[in-house]
Amino acid sequence: MTEQHSHQFERGTDGPKVIVVGVDGSDSSLRAAAYAGGLARRQGALLAVVYVQPVLAGGAALGAPVVETTDEIAEDLVAHIREAAERVKGIFDLRWEFHTFRGDPYGGLVRTADQLKADAVVVGASEQAGHRFVGSVAVRLVKAGRWPVTVVP
């Protein structure tokens, strides 16, 4: 007999109330954010946009301004999201919040989804060729089996 997870992702509602979406600035992650935003709007759910700033130990040794670069990406993402939210203000009502911190993208998304008691996780398909064979954040999230995961191409 195998042990099954008893994690319940839906909290007695007709749909998700918290949707977590991972963004990293790539085209697929921005499409995932747009898709998740539409889901959140239609469901009246909170959209939690998460950017996990990569920790690149080797980059610091090479003198690369890694922290400043990832902070700039986070600021650009927030500006992009705010701009998109302003364009639909008065037409669509969308509750959203932005989370950013440093670490592993998979671990960061899992931690955020757990903390917010997310009902669904949305990510963009990996644009790195090696991930088709080794595995991506999306594949790891699906294998975790803790939430419905939507992978947007």
Side-chain angles (χ1 to χ4, degrees), residues 31-100:
R31 286 190 296 270
Y35 180 85
L39 286 175
R41 178 184 55 79
R42 288 187 296 278
Q43 293 291 329
L46 171 67
L47 177 65
V49 181
V50 179
Y51 169 56
V52 181
Q53 300 176 34
V55 176
L56 305 173
L62 297 173
V66 175
V67 172
E68 291 84 1
T69 301
T70 59
D71 284 345
E72 286 176 22
I73 292 169
E75 290 169 15
D76 288 347
L77 288 169
V78 170
H80 182 78
I81 295 163
R82 281 198 176 111
E83 180 183 305
E86 279 298 314
R87 281 196 307 262
V88 298
K89 196 174 190 177
I91 302 168
F92 301 120
D93 186 26
L94 178 63
R95 295 181 305 125
W96 65 276
E97 56 189 41
F98 184 78
H99 301 262
T100 186

Side-chain angles (χ1 to χ4, degrees), residues 78-133:
V78 170
H80 182 78
I81 295 163
R82 281 198 176 111
E83 180 183 305
E86 279 298 314
R87 281 196 307 262
V88 298
K89 196 174 190 177
I91 302 168
F92 301 120
D93 186 26
L94 178 63
R95 295 181 305 125
W96 65 276
E97 56 189 41
F98 184 78
H99 301 262
T100 186
F101 41 86
R102 288 179 176 74
D104 166 56
Y106 169 78
L109 287 169
V110 166
R111 195 166 41 254
T112 304
D114 282 346
Q115 287 174 351
L116 297 176
K117 294 184 170 87
D119 298 297
V121 178
V122 180
V123 292
S126 176
E127 295 180 353
Q128 297 179 12
H131 283 174
R132 289 188 208 118
F133 304 106

